[in-house]
Amino acid sequence: MKKTFTLLALFFVFFKVSAQSPCTVDSSIFPKGTNFGIYPDSLNAPANYPYSQVMQFKFPKDSTYSGFPVVIDSVKIDSVKNLP
């Protein structure tokens, strides 16, 4: 019984710790009706200093592909380039 409880407790602690923090959207960057994109569009970090930057992405809910309407339900970032 103790092993089961310990295993269950560790399971919940692991998933609680690995959960993402909530996202707070800054609506002043992309007001309603504006173009889609990434903010900021470039990053300028000094070398050899700690750096932190919040990026915001705005994607359309739908689009067209080869003349057909397509609903966008998720976006995946495959890679980030030019990192040290």
Side-chain angles (χ1 to χ4, degrees):
M1 180 68 178
K2 285 185 179 182
K3 288 182 182 180
T4 305
F5 178 77
T6 304
L7 185 61
L8 189 60
L10 287 173
F11 177 80
F12 285 115
V13 168
F14 173 78
F15 281 104
K16 180 65 176 170
V17 170
S18 67
Q20 296 177 353
S21 61
C23 177
T24 305
V25 178
D26 184 357
S27 60
S28 66
I29 294 173
F30 296 114
K32 191 171 186 174
T34 60
N35 293 333
F36 302 101
I38 301 171
Y39 179 84
D41 58 358
S42 64
L43 302 174
N44 296 313
N48 300 322
Y49 289 97
Y51 181 76
S52 176
Q53 176 68 50
V54 174
M55 296 188 72
Q56 293 195 26
F57 302 87
K58 184 175 181 183
F59 297 99
K61 294 180 181 179
D62 54 21
S63 186
T64 57
Y65 180 75
S66 298
F68 297 101
V70 177
V71 176
I72 300 172
D73 66 350
S74 63
V75 177
K76 178 181 176 184
I77 298 173
D78 287 331
S79 65
V80 178
K81 296 181 180 180
N82 299 327
L83 293 177

